[in-house]
Amino acid sequence: QVQSVESGGGLVQAGGSLRLSCAASGSIFRRYAMGWYRQAAGKQRDLVAQITTGGSTNYADSVKGRFTISRDNTDNMLYLQMNSLKPEDTAVYFCNTAPNIHYFWGQGTQVTVSS
């Protein structure tokens, strides 16, 4: 099945940290850059972090310096370490290939940051 499964979200106070994980089917994972997307209530889904198959990374300005994306090509896993979280980081987080989408969207994982 060509789908990704996200986990690791939760409720955290501002300034706290969370680590998100994404398990993705391998045939696609190893061929494409991957990304973490987020969608806040009533807003569009945005790409916030991207990593190439070789490990080069790129971040949205809103998360630069606070979030770190990484991948394990052996286990087909994608990670997002989120530090210094802010209330505006509250959203459902998804993983997928980036910038073009190749997986069916999963259910995502909810991140809620309280002030």
Side-chain angles (χ1 to χ4, degrees):
Q1 188 172 4
V2 186
Q3 190 170 25
S4 54
V5 179
E6 303 87 357
S7 63
L11 173 63
V12 63
Q13 289 187 329
S17 298
L18 284 173
R19 188 187 191 218
L20 306 185
S21 299
C22 166
S25 59
S27 60
I28 292 178
F29 184 90
R30 288 185 289 269
R31 292 164 53 192
Y32 293 98
M34 292 293 297
W36 282 99
Y37 300 76
R38 70 184 181 187
Q39 186 169 21
K43 298 189 177 180
Q44 67 180 20
R45 189 172 303 179
D46 293 324
L47 177 65
V48 296
Q50 180 177 352
I51 185 168
T52 66
T53 55
S56 296
T57 59
N58 194 33
Y59 299 92
D61 288 343
S62 59
V63 306
K64 198 171 295 182
R66 300 187 297 120
F67 289 11
T68 302
I69 188 172
S70 60
R71 65 189 295 164
D72 182 336
N73 291 331
T74 300
D75 292 334
N76 301 329
M77 293 293 295
L78 184 72
Y79 302 100
L80 186 68
Q81 178 66 42
M82 305 187 295
N83 298 329
S84 302
L85 282 161
K86 304 175 181 180
E88 51 263 45
D89 295 319
T90 295
V92 181
Y93 285 71
F94 304 85
C95 65
N96 213 312
T97 52
N100 298 314
I101 303 305
H102 293 279
Y103 286 108
F104 292 109
W105 290 104
Q107 292 189 335
T109 186
Q110 175 71 48
V111 172
T112 303
V113 185
S114 63
S115 57

